[in-house]
Amino acid sequence: MWRSSLVRALPTARAFSTAGIPRGAFAKLNDADVAHLRSVCKSVLTAPDEVAPFNSDWLNKYHGQSQLVLRPKTTQEVSEILKYCNEKKLAVVPQGGNTGLVGGSVPVHDEIILSLGNMNQVEAFDEVSGIIVCQAGCILENLDTYAGKHGYMMPLDLGAKGTCQIGGNAATNAGGLRLLRYGSLHGSILGIEAVLADGTIVDCLSTMRKDNTGYDLKQLFIGSEGTLGVITKLSVLTPPRSTAVNVALLGCESFDAVKAAFVQARQNLGEILSAVEFMDRQSLDMVMSQQPSLADPLESACPFYVLLETSGSNEAHDMEKLEAYLESVMEAGTVIDGTVAQDAAQAKKLFGIREDITLSLSSRGHVYKYDLSIPIDDYYKIVEDTRAALADHDAEVVAFGHLGDCNIHLNISTLKYNDAVQKALEPFLFEWTAKRRGSVSAEHGIGTHKPRFLHLSKTPDAIHMMRQMKQVFDPNGILNPYKVLP
Ligand code: FAD
Ligand code: 2HG
Ligand code: ZN
């Protein structure tokens, strides 16, 4: 669960790798610019204490020096802002809920911050199809509550749901806990309205599931991390809300047993399986160390845990299936201990442990964060190799993730930033991943952290095409410079 009181990580000792990035040949903001932008956008922040929170990311690793935050309410305002900035060659960083974990949402230098939070209106909801049309600044959790009132739910769920915005989710192609069931946003988002750097409003806001009229332009904005356009509106296909939800936490002795439990879950629970999450003991210990009142959820301490969720429409039928599954994995010794939530509150508590890992890591001290896609056979090997590589350092290696999607969140925690640890981790982890044809970013994106490692997951030709696309959409390069492309 997202705790607003702990919304920010503690300050870290060092501003991250942005330090060496030279400022591009953009104009410097002057008083005439601010006066003009005030005339096209009603909500403008210039007071240093008001601008400050927008200059730092959630992890407090990346810090910009913007002097201006613009908070438009309409697409027209966004268009007029960008048209002016493009003409004057003023760089702009689009910002949603600022929960991104790769430094994409904050300025590297003095870029103007275009914050979408005031664009928070739901424009339409179709009771029959479950299609919602809304502005990009709607908070994910608010949309889920809204859809819930109509018997539907948002097709994605993540720990930052109380703060992140649907536009930010689209811009990062966020994955989260339900991707296994509902697929990626490339499938759930049916339409997008976006504003290009020169102010052109691109209306691809279809509400049709099927539309084969040439290139599917909206897909380019999904996962583009604010570098191709500012997403202003979206239409999203929401699935019916499940009335019967079960959650089970299972303990396993080995990672091979984790894999076996997963395979069998797919076979036995098939159509009702909605999430398969993984965490190691070190992850649980991390949460317990930051929440001393939290008791061990299982009787025995296990080295590995699988968190399963089923969502269906028939409580008795789903429970029967889950119990049969549990019986068989326990009999086979695949699972050595486990618990099934008896009510919604217990289910929330079990999922809360998994969702609290990120916050616990940030609260402890410094965290080195890696979000990788790795073939399942090597999924945990990277953790063992990282522990071996860091044997001489005082560092906790913690791994969890979306097992069902082969997405591991490998986190290394130290009490303070340590340059030697950083050097031991990069490029080692990214090269390790590339050797196995994994991805250096499964779901968090490239942002400021990883442009120099993009070549490990994309060929030179693919990167060249990305550059060409950037040139078409944003010839002056004013939109989120220094991010994504090396
Ligand atoms: P921001 O952080 O504000 O921005 C992210 C990027 O998108 C930036 O490059 C920004 O420029 C761009 N952007 C934002 N809005 C727009 C827009 N309207 N138009 C164009 N570009 C825009 N991510 C996952 O994928 N799965 C998870 O399970 C997950 N769990 C998380 C849990 C926690 C506790 C935290 C802190 C983060 C988690 N994240 C996860 C990462 C993050 O929440 C997601 O990437 C989220 O989608 C970002 O949304 P945001 O609105 O905060 O975007
Ligand atoms: C999650 O799945 C998020 O909880 C955050 O993607 C992962 O903190 C992380 O590394
Ligand atoms: Zn994740």
Side-chain angles (χ1 to χ4, degrees):
M1 270 282 92
W2 185 252
R3 310 259 167 69
S4 51
S5 58
L6 287 170
V7 119
R8 283 304 180 98
L10 295 174
T12 88
R14 174 183 185 266
F16 246 57
S17 49
T18 54
I21 302 175
R23 188 179 181 281
F26 300 107
K28 291 228 168 177
L29 188 73
N30 60 37
D31 290 348
D33 297 326
V34 178
H36 178 85
L37 291 165
R38 274 188 199 282
S39 75
V40 297
C41 175
K42 285 187 193 70
S43 180
V44 173
L45 305 177
T46 52
D49 59 327
E50 287 178 341
V51 175
F54 297 83
N55 263 320
S56 295
D57 71 322
W58 187 86
L59 287 168
N60 230 330
K61 272 189 183 176
Y62 299 94
H63 306 281
Q65 304 103 44
S66 181
Q67 292 160 23
L68 182 66
V69 179
L70 302 172
R71 300 191 298 174
K73 267 184 109 67
T74 65
T75 302
Q76 199 54 41
E77 279 180 56
V78 174
S79 168
E80 285 177 35
I81 290 168
L82 290 185
K83 186 168 184 287
Y84 180 83
C85 291
N86 192 50
E87 279 165 12
K88 297 286 177 185
K89 305 232 175 7
L90 289 162
V92 176
V93 50
Q95 191 176 95
N98 200 8
T99 66
L101 298 172
V102 290
S105 54
V106 290
V108 170
H109 294 283
D110 53 352
E111 299 91 281
I112 294 170
I113 297 167
L114 185 63
S115 169
L116 278 298
N118 281 345
M119 295 183 63
N120 56 8
Q121 299 300 306
V122 174
E123 299 204 333
F125 188 82
D126 185 326
E127 299 273 355
V128 178
S129 62
I131 293 166
I132 192 166
V133 181
C134 63
Q135 286 185 302
C138 290
I139 288 175
L140 177 61
E141 192 168 48
N142 294 350
L143 289 177
D144 193 55
T145 306
Y146 182 99
K149 290 188 184 138
H150 301 269
Y152 291 88
M153 62 190 277
M154 291 304 282
L156 79 160
D157 184 18
L158 42 140
K161 58 182 161 280
T163 309
C164 65
Q165 301 172 5
I166 189 70
N169 301 146
T172 54
N173 187 22
L177 306 163
R178 300 260 155 73
L179 189 136
L180 178 82
R181 172 75 163 263
Y182 300 112
S184 94
L185 288 176
H186 283 292
S188 307
I189 294 179
L190 304 182
I192 279 185
E193 176 196 80
V195 182
L196 301 187
D198 68 358
T200 304
I201 299 170
V202 181
D203 180 354
C204 292
L205 197 60
S206 169
T207 51
M208 296 290 113
R209 283 196 83 177
K210 300 184 83 172
D211 174 19
N212 279 354
T213 50
Y215 307 144
D216 192 355
L217 293 176
K218 68 164 187 291
Q219 299 294 354
L220 291 176
F221 297 104
I222 301 173
S224 66
E225 299 181 55
T227 60
L228 295 183
V230 176
I231 299 169
T232 44
K233 287 184 193 170
L234 306 95
S235 69
V236 183
L237 182 64
T238 70
R241 207 172 196 90
S242 307
T243 46
V245 177
N246 292 305
V247 173
L249 179 71
L250 315 176
C252 299
E253 200 110 69
S254 66
F255 192 72
D256 279 342
V258 167
K259 283 193 286 184
F262 170 49
V263 170
Q264 202 160 341
R266 290 181 82 180
Q267 280 163 358
N268 292 21
L269 302 171
E271 73 290 351
I272 57 167
L273 195 61
S274 50
V276 183
E277 293 292 310
F278 163 76
M279 56 187 179
D280 61 11
R281 179 70 208 184
Q282 290 80 352
S283 302
L284 177 58
D285 285 342
M286 183 58 64
V287 179
M288 288 170 67
S289 76
Q290 299 303 309
Q291 292 178 33
S293 60
L294 182 73
D296 212 316
L298 300 185
E299 269 174 29
S300 30
C302 304
F304 301 101
Y305 297 89
V306 176
L307 189 63
L308 281 185
E309 184 195 67
T310 65
S311 306
S313 55
N314 185 325
E315 182 73 56
H317 162 267
D318 292 0
M319 190 48 104
E320 200 181 306
K321 281 187 101 161
L322 183 61
E323 276 170 357
Y325 163 76
L326 292 175
E327 218 174 274
S328 94
V329 283
M330 299 224 27
E331 243 171 49
T334 309
V335 168
I336 50 170
D337 198 358
T339 179
V340 178
Q342 296 305 308
D343 53 33
Q346 276 185 18
K348 207 168 158 179
K349 212 169 158 188
L350 288 180
F351 252 95
I353 298 174
R354 162 65 183 84
E355 289 187 337
D356 278 349
I357 305 170
T358 300
L359 208 50
S360 306
L361 280 158
S362 297
S363 311
R364 179 173 184 260
H366 188 82
V367 60
Y368 311 76
K369 201 170 270 301
Y370 300 93
D371 156 49
L372 309 164
S373 272
I374 299 203
I376 197 75
D377 281 341
D378 282 334
Y379 190 92
Y380 205 71
K381 175 131 183 37
I382 194 165
V383 185
E384 291 157 357
D385 287 0
T386 306
R387 288 196 178 123
L390 296 178
D392 294 340
H393 297 281
D394 186 13
E396 303 282 335
V397 179
V398 161
F400 58 101
H402 314 289
L403 182 76
D405 314 318
C406 290
N407 177 183
I408 191 163
H409 293 309
L410 175 61
N411 281 258
I412 294 87
S413 162
T414 53
L415 291 176
K416 277 200 266 166
Y417 174 77
N418 180 338
D419 209 39
V421 170
Q422 172 74 28
K423 288 200 171 96
L425 294 171
E426 294 181 24
F428 165 68
L429 289 176
F430 294 126
E431 287 172 352
W432 194 103
T433 303
K435 258 186 220 148
R436 286 144 184 98
R437 293 195 69 102
S439 172
V440 299
S441 171
E443 61 173 10
H444 295 162
I446 297 292
T448 314
H449 180 190
K450 289 174 263 183
R452 65 190 188 284
F453 303 113
L454 186 66
H455 69 281
L456 293 170
S457 287
K458 286 260 187 296
T459 63
D461 285 341
I463 294 176
H464 178 63
M465 281 181 76
M466 284 171 69
R467 281 194 198 286
Q468 286 179 316
M469 273 181 204
K470 171 75 176 169
Q471 185 64 24
V472 170
F473 281 72
D474 176 18
N476 290 333
I478 63 155
L479 276 178
N480 223 1
Y482 324 107
K483 317 283 170 64
V484 182
L485 284 163

